[in-house]
Amino acid sequence: MMSPTALVRSFFIALCAAVLAFAPAHAQQGFTVTTTVSWTWDDAGDGGSDVAFDDEADDTAIDEDAALLDDEGLADDADMAATRRYAPAATLATLGRAKAHYGPFAVIDAATVRMAGDVTSATPRQFAAMLAAHPGLKRLEMIDCPGSLDEEANLILARAIRRAGLETVVPSGGSVRSGAVELWLAGITRRAAADAEFGVHSWADDTGREANDYAAGDPVHAEYLGYYREMGMDEAKARSFYALTNATPFDQVRYLNRDDMARFVALN
């Protein structure tokens, strides 16, 4: 015997079918059924699927522990996502309201500036204007720095950071990726929280050729190797770090942690 609920559902379906059957053709073309699906992520170690679908879940849960790099060596796996893995720590919101903004820079207090955003051709000028207005700045906190849209400007900015004698810091939850890693290396001293992330990959020129498309002896490599030596790496470490970044294609990202970076440069 059919339940009252089933009877009502059957009646509603029959009514919809009748309406569609007698509706004009152009009206039927505008009839759309929309289905909403929410996603949750299972622990990769439970033997099940990496991704699970839950029609009743309201939130997306990500197992961050499964994504952390091995402390015993550089991670072998490249993260295919171009975006950061972690959100900034909640404590960053307590650092205070910015007193002034200069492009991707936000002056927090007399000694501290935070950075979030890409480097563009205008960023070195914005940095210079900031230093002129706030000459007492000592520390650059890199919160969420995806990289550069202008590589020449990025290296100009990096050397300006070094000349200014700024300490570069990636706080808890902070992320520096691509060309922003060069900016962090420019610090006169460098610090990074245990969960700071560093995303590296190969560079690519305006024709789409990547670093490994050029011969090992090509002069195109000299600028990067020279920069790493300028920032304190010896010849062997400069070449090793350069090779590490170029081992990951331009359209992918390999994430390193604080201990990984400490193999190449001194941290405070």
Side-chain angles (χ1 to χ4, degrees), residues 143-210:
I143 308 302
D144 190 2
C145 304
S148 68
L149 303 178
D150 185 323
E151 187 63 13
E152 181 179 2
N154 195 65
L155 292 177
I156 290 173
L157 175 62
R159 291 184 169 98
I161 290 171
R162 173 57 65 96
R163 286 195 304 272
L166 296 184
E167 175 186 42
T168 50
V169 181
V170 185
S172 179
S175 174
V176 295
R177 308 180 294 282
S178 190
V181 175
E182 272 73 51
L183 302 182
W184 178 79
L185 290 172
I188 196 71
T189 57
R190 314 172 191 92
R191 288 192 289 125
D195 64 342
E197 66 177 18
F198 300 83
V200 299
H201 62 147
S202 172
W203 55 265
D205 63 20
D206 54 7
T207 69
R209 296 180 69 192
E210 301 188 12

Side-chain angles (χ1 to χ4, degrees), residues 25 133-134 145 224:
H134 305 274
C145 304
Y224 291 93

